[in-house]
Amino acid sequence: MSFYRHHVFICTNQRAAGDSCCNNHGASDLLAYMKDKVKALGLAGEGQVRVNKAGCLGRCDDGPLLVIYPQETWYTFIDEQDIDEIVEKHLLAGEIVERLKL
Ligand code: FES
């Protein structure tokens, strides 16, 4: 059994201005937003959900992006509404958010 039911890694890699990277699309702000939301919903902790900052995940042209283990589900996102949907559907209801899936 996994230590976390859902372990989320959000790429916040920052490259020099002009180069493609997730942080040029607000990934750090949305990481903070997601962490706060998971905590506020009482989902954070062992056996539940962990949201971690990650370096480059090697799919820069698809970013900004996150991956959730152990399901190995990759998502892109652009705003807080997308993060809300990933939290409410994937993390809470266990459903895949097809429109954001990579
Ligand atoms: S910069 Fe985010 S995947 Fe490479």
Side-chain angles (χ1 to χ4, degrees):
M1 183 171 173
S2 300
F3 191 80
Y4 296 115
R5 188 164 47 89
H6 299 291
H7 199 166
V8 183
F9 294 91
I10 301 183
C11 173
T12 60
N13 191 41
Q14 180 69 58
R15 295 190 197 284
D19 289 347
S20 178
C21 68
C22 294
N23 215 38
N24 281 351
H25 302 281
S28 289
D29 289 344
L30 290 168
L31 164 72
Y33 178 79
M34 189 177 205
K35 284 175 84 82
D36 288 347
K37 186 173 180 83
V38 163
K39 201 173 196 177
L41 289 169
L43 294 174
E46 182 178 342
Q48 299 193 90
V49 176
R50 174 81 180 182
V51 180
N52 276 107
K53 169 164 101 171
C56 179
L57 294 170
R59 299 183 68 172
C60 318
D61 291 339
D62 295 327
L65 52 78
L66 60 83
V67 60
I68 304 175
Y69 289 103
Q71 298 84 15
E72 299 181 35
T73 307
W74 293 78
Y75 290 116
T76 189
F77 52 84
I78 58 165
D79 55 25
E80 292 180 357
Q81 288 69 42
D82 288 345
I83 296 295
D84 287 344
E85 193 170 346
I86 292 167
V87 170
E88 288 157 18
K89 289 193 178 162
H90 191 117
L91 301 183
L92 269 174
E95 299 169 11
I96 300 297
V97 184
E98 293 293 342
R99 75 176 189 87
L100 298 174
K101 192 174 174 212
L102 292 172

